[in-house]
Amino acid sequence: MSALPEDLHTLGDYERHAATRLPSAIWGHIQEGSGFHGAPDNDRLALDRIKLLPRRLTDLRGGSTAIELFGQHHATPILLAPVAYQRLAHPEGELASVRAATAMGLSMVLSTLSSVTLEEVAQAAQDAARQLAQPEVPHWFQLYAQPDRDHTLALIRRAEEAGYRAIAFTVDAAVKRAGFPLPPGVEAANLRGFPTQQQVTNHGAILFGTPLTENAPRWEDVAWLRKQTSLPLLIKGLAAPEDARMAAQMGADAVVISHHGGRVLPGMPSALELIAPIRKAVGPDLPLLVDGGLRSGTDIAKALALGAQAVLIGRPQMHALAVGGFTGVAHMLHILRAELELAMAQLGCASVSQLGPQHLFRAP
Ligand code: FNR
């Protein structure tokens, strides 16, 4: 902790410090899609509109933030969202993040576009758990479909082999605007040996007919993927209730409601606003995870009260990496957990499952 600046009390503090430490091109890349307040504007507006209604005199004894997902234990309903190329923010990149997540007992969803191989990240997680003498944490692998299914399958098999405990298939980012030239030393380590592929389209360029749209994943890929692995399968990047229902029908174990941090299509609703209609479409049982703009314990409490089972945190891990590497990410996660515990206690909830619409205030 001594290496960290003293005035780090919130995720906003991490963002402020990170802005002064990262080269402007990298900072611009990380923040792309976020608005004035460091989160996509729609998310901040939606979050601020929601008011919490505390319940008093409830029994908080034995309280816990722990949840179970797919039979896996999570110390909190908070996961590290897949964020590509973490060596942009710190030389240890994903190794620092996974050690921090493991130390805090919480899962990282490792990006296909990790700047460290998935095997090295899994090993770092196992070593960290052993050194800390704590149980192993279920980390997950985020999958981007490759143009050649054999390559996609190879990634799945490697993830299974390395001990990842779920696959989050991201379906909203196959078609993206201009990319960011990676500096020397930062690469898509998991894709070494794969043919190079067009990853983004330039602003204003013709898109249809290019490999981006020709290779963009389709529903048949979800059906195929479901048959390839017995790991829990999450579909990340859904927004339309009908798509969520379709994913469930095709055997997905959960949906991540997400607009990719505002990076793929301007003008989408906040992920929070989509929880209720998606819940209505998929019924009570399918786990719903959500991300986009969540920056505090009360933000997370709002997402859970709206009906999400867990949340993912994206950019703040890059901010925390830039400020303090492993220590920064662990501290950032500690802040979130402590804030969530305070919010839950204030709302009168001893467990995450007690959070619900009764904790949301709607003006009469
Ligand atoms: C992302 N995100 C992302 N998602 C994914 O499925 N695979 C990926 O490789 C990446 N890479 C990535 C890089 C950067 C720099 C950012 C900011 C985001 C999206 C990410 O998982 C998540 O959906 C959003 O970041 C959540 O919003 P917040 O918490 O950043 O506001």
Side-chain angles (χ1 to χ4, degrees):
M1 288 293 291
S2 57
L4 295 177
E6 277 178 17
D7 58 343
L8 289 170
H9 307 295
T10 66
L11 270 55
D13 295 332
Y14 270 101
E15 181 171 2
R16 188 166 42 82
H17 276 279
T20 66
R21 290 175 185 223
L22 287 167
S24 62
I26 294 179
W27 178 248
H29 164 70
I30 294 168
Q31 297 301 98
E32 186 203 332
S34 65
F36 179 62
H37 294 288
D41 283 338
N42 281 351
D43 293 322
R44 201 59 261 164
L45 286 171
L47 280 160
D48 290 344
R49 261 198 312 268
I50 298 165
K51 305 292 177 212
L52 290 167
L53 194 63
R55 304 299 299 270
R56 305 297 184 201
L57 300 167
T58 61
D59 188 353
L60 296 174
R61 289 174 295 177
S64 161
T65 58
I67 57 159
E68 297 267 319
L69 272 175
F70 324 126
Q72 302 168 8
H73 178 82
H74 296 253
T76 72
I78 306 167
L79 295 93
L80 288 183
V83 170
Y85 304 123
Q86 298 197 1
R87 279 197 162 144
L88 290 172
H90 188 276
E92 289 171 14
E94 290 82 357
L95 296 174
S97 300
V98 85
R99 286 181 188 126
T102 305
M104 301 307 297
L106 124 197
S107 302
M108 174 175 184
V109 189
L110 183 76
S111 171
T112 286
L113 300 178
S114 170
S115 49
V116 181
T117 65
L118 64 91
E119 289 84 2
E120 290 169 287
V121 173
Q123 189 62 52
Q126 281 160 23
D127 293 347
R130 200 172 320 112
Q131 279 159 16
L132 296 161
Q134 62 178 40
E136 282 185 18
V137 176
H139 298 296
W140 299 351
F141 182 68
Q142 178 268 323
L143 180 72
Y144 276 134
Q146 303 301 303
D148 182 337
R149 274 190 178 169
D150 287 346
H151 292 132
T152 309
L153 198 54
L155 285 173
I156 297 168
R157 293 288 171 264
R158 284 171 59 192
E160 289 171 341
E161 189 100 333
Y164 291 85
R165 303 275 301 281
I167 301 281
F169 181 37
T170 299
V171 296
D172 61 355
V175 177
K176 276 200 288 201
R177 282 170 297 151
F180 167 76
L182 291 174
V186 183
E187 56 163 339
N190 290 323
L191 306 185
R192 274 178 209 147
F194 287 17
T196 47
Q197 49 172 306
Q198 185 184 358
Q199 298 213 330
V200 293
T201 175
N202 291 324
H203 284 284
I206 294 297
L207 183 61
F208 286 123
T210 66
L212 284 176
T213 43
E214 297 301 303
N215 296 329
R218 302 182 291 270
W219 281 112
E220 66 208 50
D221 295 303
V222 175
W224 172 81
L225 185 56
R226 178 64 290 177
K227 287 197 213 110
Q228 305 308 317
T229 182
S230 55
L231 285 177
L233 176 64
L234 300 92
I235 309 295
K236 176 173 182 281
L238 298 185
E242 195 44 50
D243 284 353
R245 185 172 24 220
M246 183 85 159
Q249 275 167 5
M250 295 187 101
D253 297 286
V255 159
V256 183
I257 307 170
S258 173
H259 49 48
H260 217 96
R263 296 164 82 79
V264 289
L265 178 68
M268 285 177 64
S270 155
L272 289 194
E273 295 169 303
L274 293 167
I275 297 174
I278 289 185
R279 174 57 71 209
K280 201 166 160 219
V282 299
D285 297 331
L286 190 79
L288 297 179
L289 288 77
V290 64
D291 71 18
L294 303 169
R295 297 292 179 267
S296 70
T298 46
D299 288 352
I300 296 168
K302 288 174 181 179
L304 300 173
L306 283 162
Q309 274 59 58
V311 303
L312 291 82
I313 304 294
R315 293 179 185 84
Q317 54 188 306
M318 294 295 257
H319 303 156
L321 273 178
V323 176
F326 161 80
T327 319
V329 180
H331 180 230
M332 181 275 287
L333 291 171
H334 177 79
I335 291 174
L336 275 182
R337 178 180 178 160
E339 289 179 350
L340 176 61
E341 286 193 9
L342 183 62
M344 283 173 56
Q346 275 292 333
L347 291 166
C349 298
S351 71
V352 169
S353 61
Q354 289 174 6
L355 277 161
Q358 68 278 18
H359 299 107
L360 300 172
F361 175 74
R362 290 174 211 284

